[in-house]
Amino acid sequence: MVEILLELLKAIGRMFLNPLLYFAIIMAIFLGYVRVKRERKHFNIRILWGWSELAGLVKEGIWLSLAISLVTLVFGLTQSVELLFFVAVFGILGMILYNFHLLSPIVLIGLSLASLMVMDFQQWSFELPGLSIHGVDVLEGAAVTSALVAGLLLIAESRLIKKYGLHYASPIIEKSKRGMHGVAFFTKKLWLLPIFFVVPGEAIDAYFPWWPLFSLNSQQFALVLFPFVIGFQQKTRRSLPLYIYPKLSRAVLILGEVVLVGGLAGYFYPLAAVVAVFAGALARLMISYIFKVRERKDVYAVSARPNGVMIAAVLPNSPAEKMGLQAGEIIRKVNGMEVHNELELYQALQINAAHCKLEVLNHHNELRLTQHVVHSKDHYRIGLLVIDS
């Protein structure tokens, strides 16, 4: 038991040798920089802290990482070094191309599995410093474990989209074909899930004699902590992220469950696992495409309205957030005064600088009243970012 605990600690240390980890960190920093720059361009203020993407890179998915690692270790879901190598390569490639649709776990595993199949069929191999990569007969077990891991990671992806996707939805002011201003919402986020995988020891013992190994039934295995990257991007116009992201999350969740079932069926019919991985990868890309096409229409859920001032975004920890105001709601009156544009909103807020009362139309066109105390340190528009004509 002590030996296994030591191997766990060593495996954690070995994760820092994987370049995928550092590409993900650099990309998270870059995403925060680009988002802040975009928000200041459109609204003269950032909505989230510039380091938010980096802060949530591992923290937001840590419990999912632990849960999946527990499953992989308890059920011995062995992964080959070759598969993890290609997952890292395609993960880095997806970040370089800046296309996060390619960073869904099922897509990364599907591309990796296809590469191994081609190499095995063509009998290709290549050498890297300290590592030999060759094809793998996926029907000998690689497809089964890959499908099971892909299914688990898809379920994790759906949970992350549902819980955190809306948090990173950044508003962008656009001009419609009619010349009217509207607000689109754009999310581009990266999560890093460090997952423990069991790797056959013989595959790496000859190249890394210092790698942590343990024996089970006279066969050697290694524990590897692999930084699995999950990317998400989505732009919405005609729908609010509040409503579209849960639908997208549910579609990914159902796909994950189907792939998981395909992996289980693969124990009896290995070809079923192969089909589950490749069909799942295509289905995930199709889900992204369908939701992307739906939101291309030149119709905006958030745009200037004649009956009030529409909210584009709400700053965190502001009086507006504490009042429960949301993007897409319409402010009709402030402190008893009707407002129709940003200037009138600001003037009405000055009527009572220490307290504000709002009359708001919610997403269901129902009227509600809300109020809150305003302190001197609060944003001069109580944390509201609005769309003007």
Side-chain angles (χ1 to χ4, degrees), residues 104-106 149-158 252 255-256 259 284:
S104 175
I106 186 69
V149 170
L152 292 171
L153 287 169
L154 272 174
I155 293 172
E157 180 186 357
S158 74
V252 176
L255 178 60
V259 172
R284 181 64 186 92

Side-chain angles (χ1 to χ4, degrees), residues 75-78 141 144-145 148 260-273:
F75 292 96
L77 299 183
T78 306
V144 175
T145 55
L148 293 174
L260 204 57
V261 171
L264 293 173
Y267 274 108
F268 307 99
Y269 306 100
L271 188 60

Side-chain angles (χ1 to χ4, degrees), residues 82-83 86 109-124 134-140 142-143 146 270-271 273-275 277-278:
E82 290 83 2
L83 181 79
F86 277 112
I109 291 177
L111 290 171
S112 301
L113 209 61
S115 300
L116 293 178
M117 291 176 68
V118 171
M119 289 185 67
D120 182 57
F121 181 76
Q122 298 291 342
Q123 295 184 346
W124 291 341
H134 51 81
V136 174
D137 185 356
V138 298
L139 295 179
E140 291 296 324
S146 296
L271 188 60
V274 177
V275 172
V277 171
F278 292 148

Side-chain angles (χ1 to χ4, degrees), residues 38-44 170-176 179-186 235-237 300 302-304 310 312-313 342 381 385-389:
R38 182 176 62 244
E39 290 171 351
R40 284 178 173 163
K41 175 184 176 182
H42 291 282
F43 295 97
N44 299 314
S170 179
I172 305 169
I173 297 177
E174 297 181 339
K175 185 171 286 189
S176 68
M180 302 294 291
H181 286 135
V183 173
F185 295 89
F186 184 61
K235 189 173 186 179
T236 64
R237 289 188 180 95
Y300 291 87
V302 177
S303 59
M310 179 161 274
E342 188 174 5
R381 283 186 308 226
L385 303 182
V386 301
I387 179 68
D388 217 341
S389 57

Side-chain angles (χ1 to χ4, degrees), residues 309 311 314 319-326 329-337 339 344-346 348-349 352 355-361 367-372 374 381-384 386:
V309 178
I311 301 172
V314 174
E321 184 184 62
K322 294 171 184 175
M323 283 190 283
L325 300 178
Q326 296 179 327
E329 293 187 320
I330 300 174
I331 300 174
R332 295 187 56 182
K333 289 185 179 181
V334 178
N335 293 326
M337 175 181 172
V339 294
E344 291 180 357
L345 172 67
Y346 176 67
L349 286 171
N352 188 348
H355 194 273
C356 65
K357 296 181 180 179
L358 304 183
E359 187 177 293
V360 182
L361 281 177
L367 189 65
R368 68 183 178 93
L369 302 176
T370 184
Q371 57 185 332
H372 199 273
V374 181
R381 283 186 308 226
I382 65 170
L384 287 170
V386 301

Side-chain angles (χ1 to χ4, degrees), residues 190-205:
L190 205 63
W191 292 286
L192 196 70
L193 271 62
I195 308 293
F196 278 104
F197 288 112
V198 180
V199 176
E202 293 84 350
I204 59 175
D205 190 33

